[in-house]
């Protein structure tokens, strides 16, 4: 999916709006620009995660443990690929824009930023193999993804999106700007 930076979206919108005078033309150009943007990433979080596993099976003698430190990069924002005329209402100097709710746009947990901090295994146990380590790290990734609603990243992404749109639209001459998000 095409990703566009906030700066390029802002420049494109300013050029489009400054070049047109008619309200209908503004609305059509706004809609086209939003669709082309596809995504507006407005916040990125860096999450440090400690992932641990203790393996003490009843049918084995001894236990084994492993502890990882990993870093995940989460980018959130709004997807704009379904932007349409229904999402924007212009009435003179008043404008209302309805956007989809923010969502996680990308998740990156690079292997080079994951390190084994501690590993212990009993005399009768084998070390964790690469497949087992990968499964443990996948559980850590799932835990981070499951916690996204509690991290505040989606709230911050929506607030930043509002701020960007309000600043841009006020520069274009709109006086009463209402940015809202679709009902869930």
């Amino acid at each position: 999916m095409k990703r566009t930076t906030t700066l390029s979206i802002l420049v494109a919108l300013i050029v489009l709006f400054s070049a047109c005078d008619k309200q209908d033309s503004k609305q059509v150009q706004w809609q086209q620009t939003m669709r082309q943007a596809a995504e507006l990433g407005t916040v990125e979080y860096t999450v440090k995660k400690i992932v641990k596993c203790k393996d003490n099976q009843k049918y084995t003698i001894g236990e084994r443990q492993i502890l990882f430190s990993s870093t995940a990069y989460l980018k959130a924002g709004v997807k704009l690929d379904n932007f349409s005329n229904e999402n924007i209402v212009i009435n003179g100097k008043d404008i209302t824009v309805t956007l989809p709710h923010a969502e996680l746009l990308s998740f990156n947990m690079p292997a080079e930023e994951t390190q084994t901090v501690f590993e212990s295994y009993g005399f009768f146990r084998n070390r964790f193999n690469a497949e087992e380590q990968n499964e443990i790290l996948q559980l850590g990734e799932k835990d981070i993804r499951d916690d996204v609603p509690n991290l505040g990243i989606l709230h911050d992404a929506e607030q930043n999106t509002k701020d960007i749109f309000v600043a841009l639209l006020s520069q274009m001459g709109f006086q009463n700007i209402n940015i809202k998000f679709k009902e869930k």
Side-chain angles (χ1 to χ4, degrees), residues 7-178:
L7 181 60
S8 62
I9 291 172
L10 296 176
V11 170
L13 289 173
I14 289 170
V15 168
L16 286 174
F17 276 100
S18 63
C20 63
D21 293 327
K22 296 181 180 176
Q23 295 298 328
D24 292 341
S25 179
K26 277 186 182 182
Q27 195 161 346
V28 168
Q29 288 184 338
W30 174 272
Q31 176 186 349
Q32 289 171 345
T33 302
M34 290 298 101
R35 279 195 189 138
Q36 289 172 351
E39 293 178 352
L40 177 61
T42 58
V43 68
E44 184 173 289
Y45 275 23
T46 301
V47 177
K48 295 282 190 177
K49 178 76 175 170
I50 300 296
V51 182
K52 68 178 183 174
C53 178
K54 185 175 185 179
D55 181 18
N56 187 7
Q57 305 289 331
K58 290 184 179 181
Y59 57 86
T60 60
I61 299 173
E63 68 177 25
R64 59 186 182 159
Q65 302 175 51
I66 195 163
L67 182 74
F68 295 103
S69 172
S70 59
T71 304
Y73 300 97
L74 291 72
K75 183 171 94 175
V78 268
K79 288 190 177 182
L80 301 170
D81 48 355
N82 291 327
F83 203 80
S84 68
N85 283 337
E86 298 167 3
N87 302 105
I88 181 170
V89 177
I90 300 175
N91 186 11
K93 296 281 185 181
D94 299 344
I95 186 167
T96 299
V97 179
T98 305
L99 299 168
H101 283 278
E103 58 186 271
L104 195 61
L105 300 176
S106 71
F107 183 99
N108 184 19
M109 201 162 108
E112 60 271 5
E113 294 190 38
T114 299
Q115 28 184 306
T116 305
V117 177
F118 174 78
E119 185 174 12
S120 167
Y121 47 94
F123 183 74
F124 295 104
R125 300 296 307 268
N126 292 326
R127 297 180 77 158
F128 287 93
N129 63 35
E131 184 179 324
E132 291 171 320
Q133 290 181 19
N134 190 37
E135 288 173 5
I136 294 165
L137 288 170
Q138 285 176 353
L139 291 173
E141 178 180 335
K142 181 184 178 314
D143 189 41
I144 295 170
R145 286 182 183 273
D146 290 346
D147 203 33
V148 164
N150 302 324
L151 294 175
I153 189 171
L154 300 177
H155 175 267
D156 290 350
E158 288 184 2
Q159 187 58 51
N160 291 348
T161 300
K162 278 184 178 182
D163 293 345
I164 289 169
F165 274 82
V166 167
L168 174 68
L169 294 169
S170 64
Q171 284 182 349
M172 289 191 248
F174 291 103
Q175 293 173 352
N176 186 15
I177 301 166
N178 183 20

